[in-house]
Amino acid sequence: MMKRIITILLIACLSISIIGCGKEKDNKKKQDDKVEQQDNSVDEKEQQDKSQEDESLAKELLEDVNPKNFKMQEVGILLTYPKLWHENFDDMMGCVDGGFQLKTKSGYSLEVYKSVLWNYFTNQNSYHLANLFVVTKDEWNKMIENNNSIKDFLTEENRLLFEQEPTITTHEENGYMYIIITPDKSKIAEKTDEDKQYKNMLVTSEELLKSIEFIEVVTQEERDKRVNESFTVVPQFKAKDTNGNDIDNSIFEGKKLTMINIWATTCGACVDEMPELQELYKDMKEKDINVIGIVTDGSEELELTKTIIEKTGVEYTNIVPDDSLNEYLKKLTATPTTIFVNEKGEKVGDIQIGIPGENAKEAYEEEIIKRLK
């Protein structure tokens, strides 16, 4: 199972299912197709190697960065990750999912609106750190009326089997019931170093749970609608790029289209896609199409910003926001967010939230072509 940097998952607001799926390769190809198949294998290997290099780069650059507050609007929470979790992010995985059912052994189903599962991995085992499930109050009441409890859903079939009876707490907010399930740390034997580290991770998971602030739940559809309504025109601004050069709205002039990639130094997904954005920039600049970046925390993390730009080979302009741009970015829901504008700074087409697929460069090229029609 692929390990992920937890900040990548959550800050990008990606919806990732708990159960991974793969595609089995067909080994019964005709003899005439073998050469082509080998060529494709080479291409696939190169893509995998590049993806691994990019992911390693993000890990290297963000290793010493302490996480900040993360807003998960679709789940309706604001939280801060413990430092110990961040220090061990290579052994962490966070899964965001929603719109599925948990079933009891008797067959009763509970409709889950959203869930966030945090796991800790060692060489041999996978451990629960904390599970958060969000259900509507109506769904919760229906469960109670049918004489069921959350404990009835903690089964192997639901991938929620605990070695010890876990601690379950609930919180009602805005018509939703938040169910937080954590292993009982007092039951950890601490016979091995692995046990001790797991218990330490569990102790600090309490920091995570205590940090949770409950906010308005905003569905993906409503979020996208609000963002598209908010980011219609780039305001007048006078800012600096990361090299200290003056930058204003004139950067859009004379361009058929400008792609604005809004990112943050704490966002691993943002760092991962930057080499592809550089390739896109090189291919598009001869066509009067520009690519620029706005780094949301550039003022606070200017040196780290410069390091990331250097390591990723980025040559396109990256802007450190002034007060006007900071006000403009207040309604940002996630990074990376990409906006396409005309020479007047007016939004063209819908906004892209998150990375648009495995091959970001090709996906952005398609979005550019759509907006030039």
Side-chain angles (χ1 to χ4, degrees):
M1 185 178 292
M2 183 178 293
K3 297 176 184 178
R4 293 276 187 174
I5 303 173
I6 199 165
T7 52
I8 291 178
L9 275 167
L10 302 183
I11 203 166
C13 291
L14 300 177
S15 180
I16 298 177
S17 64
I18 296 173
I19 304 173
C21 55
K23 189 175 182 180
E24 187 176 341
K25 293 183 179 178
D26 182 5
N27 293 321
K28 297 181 179 179
K29 294 288 185 180
K30 292 181 179 180
Q31 189 70 25
D32 293 342
D33 295 335
K34 281 189 176 179
V35 174
E36 181 180 355
Q37 187 178 14
Q38 288 171 356
D39 290 342
N40 290 338
S41 296
V42 171
D43 292 340
E44 289 176 6
K45 186 177 186 304
E46 288 178 352
Q47 290 177 1
Q48 290 173 357
D49 290 343
K50 184 180 183 302
S51 176
Q52 289 173 356
E53 287 176 6
D54 290 344
E55 187 172 335
S56 296
L57 179 60
K59 288 180 180 179
E60 175 191 339
L61 291 171
L62 303 181
E63 187 172 4
D64 296 324
V65 178
N66 287 325
K68 301 178 182 179
N69 288 338
F70 291 107
K71 182 187 290 185
M72 302 175 66
Q73 285 194 306
E74 286 183 58
V75 184
I77 58 174
L78 181 71
L79 50 78
T80 303
Y81 288 102
K83 191 171 188 299
L84 184 61
W85 282 29
H86 192 73
E87 289 171 350
N88 290 274
F89 65 75
D90 193 29
D91 299 317
M92 296 283 299
M93 188 172 84
C95 291
V96 183
D97 199 6
F100 63 92
Q101 292 182 338
L102 294 176
K103 292 186 177 182
T104 65
K105 291 180 180 179
S106 63
Y108 181 82
S109 296
L110 178 71
E111 187 72 29
V112 177
Y113 164 69
K114 282 291 176 184
S115 71
V116 190
L117 311 182
W118 293 280
N119 292 325
Y120 173 63
F121 291 88
T122 65
N123 291 331
Q124 298 179 343
N125 298 302
S126 169
Y127 297 98
H128 293 286
L129 286 174
N131 297 340
L132 171 67
F133 294 96
V134 186
V135 302
T136 65
K137 189 65 193 308
D138 289 343
E139 192 71 14
W140 176 267
N141 289 338
K142 192 191 306 181
M143 180 195 75
I144 301 298
E145 290 168 4
N146 282 272
N147 298 316
N148 286 285
S149 72
I150 289 301
K151 290 182 181 179
D152 297 328
F153 299 95
L154 305 185
T155 65
E156 186 174 2
E157 289 74 13
N158 290 328
R159 299 185 175 223
L160 294 173
L161 197 62
F162 290 80
E163 290 185 7
Q164 301 89 20
E165 185 171 313
T167 300
I168 300 173
T169 57
T170 58
H171 176 87
E172 184 181 348
E173 190 82 23
N174 298 325
Y176 291 90
M177 187 65 73
Y178 291 80
I179 307 151
I180 300 171
I181 308 172
T182 55
D184 186 347
K185 65 178 184 297
S186 67
K187 304 294 185 182
I188 306 299
E190 293 189 79
K191 294 179 180 178
T192 67
D193 290 340
E194 186 176 292
D195 293 337
K196 292 176 182 177
Q197 177 66 0
Y198 173 45
K199 185 168 184 177
N200 288 336
M201 298 291 281
L202 277 179
V203 170
T204 56
S205 71
E206 295 175 358
E207 297 175 22
L208 173 86
L209 300 178
K210 288 177 181 177
S211 79
I212 290 178
E213 296 178 31
F214 296 94
I215 58 177
E216 178 190 12
V217 174
V218 180
T219 65
Q220 181 176 344
E221 292 77 12
E222 179 62 24
R223 180 199 69 183
D224 293 350
K225 178 184 175 184
R226 291 185 187 183
V227 169
N228 276 289
E229 289 174 350
S230 300
F231 294 89
T232 52
V233 183
V234 178
Q236 293 296 313
F237 67 91
K238 291 184 179 180
K240 301 278 188 183
D241 67 12
T242 52
N243 294 318
N245 301 310
D246 293 330
I247 300 288
D248 57 27
N249 300 70
S250 63
I251 195 171
F252 307 128
E253 295 176 2
K255 302 296 180 183
K256 294 178 183 177
L257 200 69
T258 297
M259 175 178 150
I260 307 172
N261 181 256
I262 304 171
W263 63 286
T265 61
T266 53
C267 171
C270 302
V271 176
D272 283 345
E273 73 169 349
M274 287 173 70
E276 290 191 78
L277 297 185
Q278 171 59 27
E279 292 178 18
L280 182 69
Y281 166 70
K282 287 195 300 184
D283 289 351
M284 291 292 167
K285 63 181 180 180
E286 298 298 328
K287 302 175 183 178
D288 291 330
I289 296 167
N290 198 13
V291 176
I292 65 174
I294 298 179
V295 53
T296 58
D297 56 347
S299 297
E300 300 86 7
E301 300 287 356
L302 184 56
E303 289 307 312
L304 177 58
T305 300
K306 290 180 177 180
T307 299
I308 290 173
I309 289 172
E310 179 184 355
K311 294 287 187 181
T312 53
V314 163
E315 298 172 356
Y316 55 83
T317 300
N318 275 274
I319 300 172
V320 178
D322 64 351
D323 290 343
S324 179
L325 284 178
N326 278 325
E327 187 66 27
Y328 176 66
L329 297 175
K330 274 186 177 179
K331 294 184 179 180
L332 191 73
T333 60
T335 54
T337 289
T338 302
I339 305 171
F340 299 87
V341 300
N342 61 20
E343 62 180 357
K344 295 180 181 179
E346 299 167 336
K347 179 172 69 71
V348 180
D350 289 338
I351 288 170
Q352 171 66 46
I353 300 176
I355 296 177
E358 292 183 4
N359 192 322
K361 180 176 179 290
E362 285 186 8
Y364 284 127
E365 285 174 344
E366 291 177 7
E367 294 299 324
I368 288 170
I369 291 169
K370 285 182 193 175
R371 287 160 176 76
L372 292 176
K373 290 180 179 179

